[in-house]
Amino acid sequence: MESITPFFANNKKIVPVIALPELDMALPLADTLAACGFTILEITLRTPCALDAIRQIARERPAIKVGAGTVKNVAQLQAAEDAGAQFIVSPGLDLAMVSKARSAKLPLVPGIMTATELMQAENEGIPVVKLFPATLAGGTDFIDAMKPVFPGMLFFPTGGINEESAAEFLARENVLCIGGSWLTPARLMQQRDWPKIHEVASRC
Ligand code: 3PG
């Protein structure tokens, strides 16, 4: 399985998770976030314009790595790949998706929240998992407890993380990066308030 680890070599370890309301917001939002140093973006397949937004960012902003989030089946994974997604994030672990991602050489970060799912991920050779929903699943206590049991596993926690709790997660050696929607509040996107989003994102 390909890993997203190299993406973070020279990058901020925070991935904005974006449920984009309208397609015309894609480039201004991506530019705003990139100006604050966020060049790895996750667009969730939760809004109708998500795939077109991925396509547009992938084509027109080659310096940005854009991935698809909330990918729940092989068909969605294929559609995300076709749109130009460079990585795939899923709320759960689906073996058909793992196999598809492997043959497509596309990094897949599956969601887990138990040791059993971590065992499956490890046995599938998956290098990075999404702890989801991170705060409900035990947050940093869970990540610390799993470290001696799964010493090679890296976590990409998302779900309930915010500006205040980000540092606590990022301080862990086995946390590759974190994700969250707090950088792109729905209200500010709806208002197309890019300066305010710039202000929020600049604090991280
Ligand atoms: C997601 O996939 O939606 C992420 O977990 C984002 O969660 P958040 O909205 O709580 O940051």
Side-chain angles (χ1 to χ4, degrees):
M1 169 69 69
E2 300 290 310
S3 177
I4 56 165
T5 305
F7 292 4
F8 293 92
N10 296 306
N11 260 301
K12 284 204 190 210
K13 295 182 172 31
I14 301 178
V15 178
V17 175
I18 305 160
L20 196 75
E22 303 287 344
L23 184 59
D24 70 284
M25 300 170 177
L27 294 179
L29 180 63
D31 291 341
T32 301
L33 293 168
C36 302
F38 297 99
T39 53
I40 303 172
L41 309 180
E42 177 185 328
I43 308 283
T44 64
L45 303 193
R46 293 187 207 159
T47 61
C49 68
L51 287 169
D52 286 333
I54 290 169
R55 194 172 290 111
Q56 206 173 76
I57 295 169
R59 264 195 210 144
E60 299 189 29
R61 296 296 184 269
I64 292 177
K65 292 209 183 315
V66 60
T70 322
V71 180
K72 296 186 288 185
N73 56 51
V74 170
Q76 288 180 329
L77 196 156
Q78 179 69 61
E81 184 192 9
D82 292 346
Q86 287 156 285
F87 64 97
I88 303 290
V89 183
S90 178
L93 175 58
D94 177 77
L95 295 181
M97 286 172 61
V98 172
S99 156
K100 172 78 186 160
R102 187 177 283 121
S103 59
K105 298 197 182 325
L106 199 55
L108 165 67
V109 182
I112 61 92
M113 64 182 298
T114 65
T116 302
E117 293 161 328
L118 271 169
M119 279 167 55
Q120 272 189 302
E122 187 175 75
N123 293 335
E124 286 293 326
I126 292 166
V128 183
V129 292
K130 162 174 161 128
L131 175 63
F132 176 75
T135 46
L136 272 179
T140 53
D141 287 344
F142 180 87
I143 290 167
D144 291 347
M146 292 302 118
K147 193 173 178 202
V149 188
F150 300 95
M153 188 60 81
L154 290 172
F155 290 88
F156 176 168
T158 76
I161 302 178
N162 55 33
E163 196 178 324
E164 287 71 43
S165 59
E168 182 193 344
F169 282 92
L170 290 171
R172 266 66 196 175
E173 261 176 27
N174 53 344
V175 170
L176 172 66
C177 61
I178 60 172
S181 62
W182 85 91
L183 295 156
T184 53
R187 185 179 51 85
L188 296 183
M189 286 195 288
Q190 292 287 3
Q191 294 169 344
R192 293 173 169 75
D193 193 343
W194 315 127
K196 186 72 188 167
I197 290 181
H198 188 282
E199 194 186 310
V200 172
S202 297
R203 292 203 295 261
C204 295

